[in-house]
Amino acid sequence: MGHVEIPDTDLSGPVGLRGAPRPRTAASRNRTAALEQLWRAPTAQRDPAGRPPARRKRTPGPALAALTDLLGLAGPAWLLLGAGDQPRPVAAAAVAGLLWAGLRGVRGRYTDRPGTGPGGALGPVGDWLVLIGLLAVLHTAAGSPVDPATAVVAVTPGLLIATAVAGLRRWQRSGRRGHRVRRVLLVGEASAVGRAAELLNSGTDHDYRLVAAIPVGPARLELDGVQMPGRLASCPADDDVTTVLGGVYAHAADLVLVAPGPQLTGDRLRRLGWGLHDGGVALSVVSELSGVTAERVRPATAAGLTLLHIAPPLRGGPQAALKGVLDRTGALFGLLALTPLLLAVALSVRLSSRGPVFHRQVRQGQHNRPFTMWKFRTMVADAENLKARLVASNEADGPLFKMRGDPRVTPVGRLLRRTSIDELPQLVNVLLGQMSLVGPRPPLPEEASRYDEREHRRLAVKPGLTGLWQVSGRSDLTWQETVSLDLWYVDNWSVAADLGLLARTVRAVADGRGAY
C-alpha cells in the first residue's frame, strides 16, 4: 500500500511503507518523472468514494461576530444604565460595547485559532474580566460619573450573551467532524517524534489528535496506542511522499506534523511538502521554540530564508505599568472587601493554638531581592525547629520541602491551606510592591541559593499570590513541572493572561487539589 517497486535495492532492514525495503532509482530512469508519478498517483485510496477530504464550511465573518458582541453588550448596558439614572447612558454603553468587541477581536475570538499555551484563554469569562479591568482604568483616568457597581451589572448581560454564542459555536463545530479536531500523522526521527507525541498526548488544551506516526531512520520507536504504518529511510528516497500519503489515507489524517532533524530537513522536507500539498494534505512543522507563545513569533523571509522573529518578553512599557496599577488596586480592594473574613480567620488562629496570628518569613523576590512575606500561621509555633526532624519524610523533589500529613500543621491551619485563605495576608506584600497578584511563588533563601541558571530565571519578575502553579496542581506538581510553568509565565506573561489566571484560580481553590 502506497509503495512503488523500483529495482536495484541496496538497503537492508525494515524501511518504507509497512516495512517494505527502500528502493533505489535505476541509473537509467528519469528521477523527476518517477517523483511526479509518485506524487500524483499514490496507490493508497483516500476513501471508498475516492473523494478528497471535504473542505471546511465557512463560518460567519468576523464583522458579523464582532457586531453581535457589540450589540449584545451595548444594548442591555444602555437599558440598565438608563434605568439606574446614570449620566450619558448611550455614550457609556457605546464605549463599553466598542471596548468589548475590540478586546475580543485582539484576543482572536473571531477566528478558529486555538489556545497558545498553558495560560490559554478562558473564553468569554477571561475576556470579561479584562474588560472590567480596562473599564476601571478608564473610569479612574477620565473621572467618569458612572457608578462602578452599576457599570459592572450593566455589562454582565454582554458576558452571558457571549457565553451563549460561544457555546452555540462549539456545538456547531462538534457536529461537523474534523472541523475542530485535527487528525495528526507525526513524521520525524524517533527521538523527536517521541517528544512531540508525549506532549500532544499529555495536553488537553489543543485540537490535535495523534492518530499515527512514521519514524525516519532505523531507530526504534515505541508509542503506546499510536500505530506506525511505515518508516522512512535515513536518506532521501523516492517513496518518501508515497509512504507518508499512504499513512495519511490509511488513518484518515488531515494534517502531517513534521519534526525536523538531521535526517529530515532542507531539500527533503521541501519535496515532502510538495507531495503533500499536491495530494491535498496540510503540513505543519514542529518548531524547537518551546515555551514561546504564537503572539511573540512573527514570520518573515529574507534571501530565500524563512525567519522567525521572536519578540522579547515584557519587562517594561505600558503593560508593566498597567500590571502595577491593577496589582495595587486589586490588593487594596481585596483587603477592604475581605476585612471581615480576615478578622474572623485571625481570631480562629489565635484561639486554636498557641503562637502569633501571622507567620512572617523571608523570601526572595524579583532579581533575588529578599523581602518579608506575610501569611496566616498554619503550623505550631516552633515549626521551623521541627523541620530538621522531618527532612527524611520530604515528598517533594528539587529544593522544595512538601509533606502530606505534616504533623506541624494545626487543624485550623489544614483548613486554611486547603482553601488558600492562609495566603491572603500577602495582599499587603502586593500593596507594598514586593509581590504581584500573579507570578511565580517566592522561594526561601536556601532554596534560591541552590538554583541553577535556568531556575534562577524564575526571579526575573515579581513573585505572585497565584500563578500557573496554582491552577495546574500546586503541590502535586514535580519540581521540574513547576519550573517549566514558571518559566513559561516569565517569558509570556501579559495583563490579559494575568486576569485569566485570576479567574482560573477561583476554580482551583474551590477544587482544593494539591493544597497541603
Side-chain angles (χ1 to χ4, degrees):
M1 180 179 67
H3 183 78
V4 176
E5 290 293 340
I6 302 178
D8 297 341
T9 293
D10 61 356
L11 178 70
S12 60
V15 295
L17 191 64
R18 299 287 185 187
R22 183 183 65 84
R24 295 287 189 186
T25 305
S28 59
R29 182 165 298 185
N30 186 308
R31 179 179 180 87
T32 302
L35 287 173
E36 289 180 351
Q37 180 182 4
L38 290 172
W39 294 339
R40 295 176 182 174
T43 57
Q45 297 298 316
R46 294 177 184 271
D47 56 43
R51 295 187 299 271
R55 295 184 178 274
R56 296 181 181 180
K57 294 182 179 179
R58 285 188 173 273
T59 55
L64 178 59
L67 182 62
T68 301
D69 278 339
L70 192 155
L71 296 179
L73 185 135
W78 169 54
L79 295 176
L80 291 173
L81 290 173
D85 293 329
Q86 297 299 310
R88 293 178 289 181
V90 175
V95 170
L98 290 172
L99 277 177
W100 177 238
L103 171 65
R104 286 178 59 78
V106 168
R107 302 192 76 188
R109 303 310 185 195
Y110 306 134
T111 69
D112 289 331
R113 183 180 65 185
T116 55
L122 282 176
V125 176
D127 297 340
W128 188 79
L129 290 173
V130 177
L131 175 68
I132 295 299
L134 292 175
L135 290 176
V137 172
L138 187 62
H139 179 274
T140 303
S144 173
V146 176
D147 177 58
T150 305
V152 171
V153 173
V155 298
T156 300
L159 169 63
L160 301 179
I161 293 174
T163 303
V165 172
L168 178 62
R169 292 182 68 190
R170 285 194 297 270
W171 178 79
Q172 290 175 336
R173 289 168 181 169
S174 64
R176 295 197 296 268
R177 181 184 177 184
H179 183 82
R180 284 288 292 175
V181 178
R182 307 298 301 271
R183 295 177 59 85
V184 175
L185 172 70
L186 189 56
V187 180
E189 297 175 36
S191 58
V193 167
R195 288 194 301 270
E198 181 181 2
L199 293 173
L200 285 173
N201 290 332
S202 63
T204 58
D205 57 346
H206 60 79
D207 303 314
Y208 297 88
R209 177 189 170 196
L210 182 60
V211 296
I214 295 180
V216 179
R220 185 176 180 83
L221 175 63
E222 294 183 1
L223 296 175
D224 294 336
V226 179
Q227 299 187 41
M228 284 173 280
R231 180 183 293 271
L232 299 184
S234 300
C235 299
D238 295 337
D239 66 340
D240 283 354
V241 175
T242 303
T243 300
V244 176
L245 283 177
V248 168
Y249 301 148
H251 295 279
D254 57 12
L255 174 66
V256 172
L257 186 60
V258 175
Q263 301 176 27
L264 184 57
T265 186
D267 184 67
R268 190 180 192 185
L269 178 56
R270 182 166 57 251
R271 290 178 177 274
L272 179 60
W274 291 344
L276 293 175
H277 292 153
D278 288 347
V281 181
L283 170 67
S284 291
V285 178
V286 177
S287 170
E288 293 297 325
L289 296 172
S290 59
V292 179
T293 59
E295 286 80 2
R296 292 178 55 205
V297 180
R298 179 175 60 84
T301 57
L305 300 174
T306 300
L307 310 177
L308 296 178
H309 292 284
I310 312 300
L314 291 172
R315 292 293 183 266
Q319 286 227 47
L322 179 59
K323 179 182 175 71
V325 172
L326 293 178
D327 280 341
R328 285 180 165 82
T329 303
L332 179 60
F333 279 103
L335 287 171
L336 294 176
L338 297 173
T339 296
L341 174 63
L342 297 175
L343 292 175
V345 172
L347 183 62
S348 64
V349 171
R350 186 69 183 86
L351 297 178
S352 63
S353 62
R354 183 177 56 86
V357 171
F358 297 104
H359 175 62
R360 293 179 296 174
Q361 195 174 48
V362 175
R363 297 290 183 111
Q364 301 303 113
Q366 188 178 20
H367 306 313
N368 209 20
R369 289 193 293 262
F371 70 97
T372 301
M373 189 183 76
W374 291 71
K375 298 178 61 175
F376 281 120
R377 181 176 59 84
T378 59
M379 292 185 174
V380 295
D382 58 343
E384 291 298 324
N385 298 329
L386 298 175
K387 182 179 178 180
R389 305 178 187 176
L390 302 172
V391 171
S393 301
N394 184 20
E395 300 176 10
D397 57 350
L400 298 178
F401 179 86
K402 288 291 183 180
M403 179 181 174
R404 286 183 175 87
D406 192 326
R408 300 174 298 166
V409 180
T410 66
V412 170
R414 207 169 302 281
L415 175 62
L416 296 180
R417 287 187 169 208
R418 174 171 172 75
T419 57
S420 297
I421 292 177
D422 62 314
E423 309 283 355
L424 290 180
Q426 292 163 38
L427 290 171
V428 175
N429 294 115
V430 176
L431 193 61
L432 295 175
Q434 300 164 335
M435 293 179 62
S436 172
L437 291 177
V438 182
R441 287 301 292 157
L444 293 166
E446 58 266 28
E447 295 172 355
S449 66
R450 297 165 56 187
Y451 280 3
D452 58 23
E453 181 180 3
R454 172 175 176 266
E455 294 164 345
H456 197 272
R457 189 170 174 80
R458 299 174 72 239
L459 304 177
V461 299
K462 288 183 181 179
L465 185 64
T466 185
L468 277 172
W469 61 274
Q470 176 89 5
V471 302
S472 304
R474 288 189 271 188
S475 297
D476 287 340
L477 298 173
T478 66
W479 170 244
Q480 289 305 321
E481 288 172 337
T482 301
V483 172
S484 296
L485 289 172
D486 284 343
L487 293 182
W488 189 96
Y489 177 83
V490 166
D491 286 341
N492 300 290
W493 77 269
S494 66
V495 172
D498 279 4
L499 293 173
L501 285 172
L502 287 172
R504 292 173 62 187
T505 297
V506 176
R507 184 176 61 183
V509 169
D511 183 60
R513 286 184 300 176
Y516 53 86

